[in-house]
Amino acid sequence: MSRRVYVHVGAPKTGTTYLQDRLFLNRVSLAGHGIAYPTGLKGDMFEPALDLIDRPWGGMRDEVHGEWDALVRRVKRSSGTVLVSHEILAGARPQQVQRAMRDLRDFEVHVIYTARDIARQLPAEWQEQVKHNGRNGFRRYLRQVRKAQQNHPNRWFWRVQGLPDVLTRWGCNLPPERVHLITVPQPGAPKETLWLRFCEVVGIDPAWAPEEAERHNPSLGGAETTLLRRLNAVLLDEDFGGDDYRTIVREVIAHRTLAQRTDMTRVTLPPGEYDWVEQVAESWIEWAQGAKVHVVGDLDELRPRRPAADEPWVNPDKPRPRDVADAALDALVAVVLEAGRRPNPDDQLRAKVAKAVRRARGGR
C-alpha cells in the first residue's frame, strides 16, 4: 500500500499560518508517531510553493528555482505519512497541479483545503494585497473582484479563494474521499476547533502535538491599511522593492507594528455587498455537496453572518486622520528602532529611505 501525502493547499487567511507553525513546533514528536513535516532549513514551505506556482512575488522567482524539487526529495526520504502545506499552493494552475501530482505519483495523495466564509475573506485578502505593495482602496478592490470571473480566474482572489475552482484543479483525477474540505468556524468557537479538525483529517492524535502555536497572520485595521496604501504610493517611484520592501515595510511596519496595535477598527464588508456574498456562499455549499468531497466541520459555517441592521459601517477608505497619524507615528518609531539595530546600514538603502521621506513631506 502506498504511503500517504497530504497536500494542504490553503486557502490564505484561513488559519494556515497557525496550523503550519503548530506542525513545525511539534515536528519531532509527530515524526515519532509516523507524521513527517519536511520543511527543510527555512521552517516553512513558502519557497517550494512559490517555485511550483511560478509567480514573480516581489522579485523572488529566480531565488526559489529548484525549491519544489528539493521538497519532493525530502518527501520521498521521509517515513510514514507526509504533510505538505502552504496556502499559495491554492493558486497553482492546472499544469502546475499536474506537475505536483506527477512528482508525488508514488504516494497516495490527499488534498486538504481550509475554507472560511467569503465575507471575512474579502477584507482579509484586500489587506494582504496592500501588504504586498498594493494601493487600491477597499471599494475599488471589491469592484474588481466582483467583475472577475470565478470559473476562469485570472484574479488572485478567485484563484485561491474560489472554493469550487481550487478543489476542481487540485482534486482532478482524485476520488472525492481523498479531497478534504475543512470549514473554519465562525467567531466565538473554541480556539482549538480548527486544529482538531485538521488532526481528524490527517490522523493525528492531538496529544502528539502539545506545543501551542503563537505565530499567526493578523489583519490590519482601516487606518493602518490606509497608511500602508499611502506609503506604497510614495514608494512606487523610488525603486523600493524586493528584499528592502519585504524587510522594512511588510515585516517591520506591517507585521511587527501595525498588526499589533490595539483598538483597531476592523474592516468589514459594506452592507450592500451581503446579497452578493450570500449567493457566492450558497454556490460553494451546493458545489461541495454535489462533488461529495469529505467535509470536516459544517458547511453552514461558510454562510456569511450579516451585521445587525443598526450596526454602523465604517468605511476603511476614509478613516479619521488622527487614527492614521497615530498609526504613522508607531510605524516611524519602529523604523527608527530598526535603523538603530543596524550598526552599518547599507548606503543605498539609506538613500532610498531618505528620498522617500522627503517625497512624503512634499519635497523633491
Side-chain angles (χ1 to χ4, degrees):
M1 182 177 178
S2 300
R3 290 194 294 127
R4 289 184 178 182
V5 171
Y6 288 88
V7 184
H8 178 209
V9 301
K13 305 302 292 185
T14 60
T16 52
T17 301
Y18 166 78
L19 294 173
Q20 292 154 7
D21 198 36
R22 189 151 190 175
L23 291 170
F24 181 75
L25 289 173
N26 293 279
R27 64 195 184 282
V28 175
S29 173
L30 289 170
H33 294 280
I35 306 292
Y37 186 54
T39 59
L41 298 176
K42 293 294 179 68
D44 63 33
M45 298 182 181
F46 167 69
E47 292 186 352
L50 182 57
D51 184 24
L52 179 69
I53 69 172
D54 192 30
R55 288 177 65 90
W57 215 272
M60 293 187 66
R61 177 179 266 149
D62 292 339
E63 296 177 26
V64 302
H65 182 68
E67 291 292 336
W68 171 257
D69 289 339
L71 173 60
V72 171
R73 290 194 293 270
R74 292 197 298 273
V75 168
K76 292 180 177 179
R77 290 196 301 266
S78 300
S79 301
T81 297
V82 185
L83 272 166
V84 171
S85 176
H86 204 278
E87 56 272 18
I88 66 172
L89 288 170
R93 296 186 182 278
Q95 64 271 26
Q96 295 160 347
V97 173
Q98 291 170 13
R99 174 189 173 187
M101 294 300 177
R102 184 171 61 250
D103 291 342
L104 300 172
R105 62 185 175 275
D106 295 333
F107 298 85
E108 180 186 297
V109 178
H110 291 243
V111 170
I112 303 174
Y113 186 68
T114 41
R116 190 169 70 150
D117 82 78
I118 187 175
R120 290 188 287 166
Q121 292 300 81
L122 282 161
E125 280 285 5
W126 170 60
Q127 292 171 40
E128 285 301 302
Q129 183 190 73
V130 173
K131 287 192 287 185
H132 286 76
N133 211 6
R135 295 169 292 280
N136 283 341
F138 191 41
R139 289 279 199 181
R140 183 178 181 186
Y141 178 78
L142 290 176
R143 287 196 301 269
Q144 291 174 341
V145 170
R146 289 197 63 167
K147 288 180 180 178
Q149 294 184 3
Q150 292 188 53
N151 294 332
H152 302 283
N154 291 318
R155 189 164 190 86
W156 179 252
F157 179 85
W158 293 120
R159 286 269 300 281
V160 297
Q161 300 292 344
L163 186 156
D165 181 63
V166 174
L167 290 184
T168 297
R169 276 182 277 122
W170 276 98
C172 183
N173 299 322
L174 291 180
E177 62 270 19
R178 283 161 56 182
V179 179
H180 310 277
L181 171 61
I182 302 176
T183 60
V184 176
Q186 290 284 351
K191 183 180 178 181
E192 289 279 288
T193 302
L194 179 62
W195 171 246
L196 294 177
R197 291 175 179 178
F198 190 85
C199 288
E200 179 183 339
V201 169
V202 181
I204 295 174
D205 184 330
W208 300 346
E211 293 291 328
E212 180 61 84
E214 296 184 0
R215 189 171 66 96
H216 60 292
N217 188 7
S219 295
L220 305 177
E224 291 75 17
T225 310
T226 292
L227 170 65
L228 205 55
R229 286 198 301 118
R230 293 177 181 175
L231 178 61
N232 289 341
V234 171
L235 296 177
L236 177 62
D237 299 325
E238 306 299 339
D239 191 28
F240 196 85
D243 289 339
D244 295 339
Y245 184 90
R246 288 192 294 271
T247 300
I248 296 179
V249 179
R250 195 184 310 164
E251 183 59 31
V252 175
I253 295 178
H255 290 163
R256 294 190 208 166
T257 306
L258 298 181
Q260 308 305 321
R261 302 183 79 233
T262 59
D263 300 324
M264 290 187 288
T265 300
R266 190 166 66 95
V267 179
T268 59
L269 283 185
E273 298 289 347
Y274 276 87
D275 286 346
W276 168 61
V277 295
E278 286 174 352
Q279 292 174 5
V280 173
E282 288 302 325
S283 71
W284 290 359
I285 292 170
E286 289 176 8
W287 182 90
Q289 291 170 334
K292 301 186 185 304
V293 297
H294 177 216
V295 177
V296 178
D298 188 342
L299 289 175
D300 191 56
E301 291 169 327
L302 298 179
R303 291 188 170 97
R305 291 184 177 177
R306 283 181 180 257
D310 59 350
E311 182 177 333
W313 179 70
V314 180
N315 187 346
D317 293 336
K318 297 180 180 180
R320 295 190 308 174
R322 178 177 177 178
D323 293 340
V324 178
D326 288 345
L329 181 59
D330 287 348
L332 178 60
V333 170
V335 171
V336 170
L337 294 176
E338 178 69 16
R341 284 191 286 267
R342 299 184 178 197
N344 296 302
D346 179 82
D347 289 340
Q348 187 176 14
L349 177 58
R350 186 195 298 115
K352 289 179 182 179
V353 173
K355 185 178 179 182
V357 170
R358 287 196 302 272
R359 185 178 176 200
R361 293 170 57 190
R364 291 294 183 271

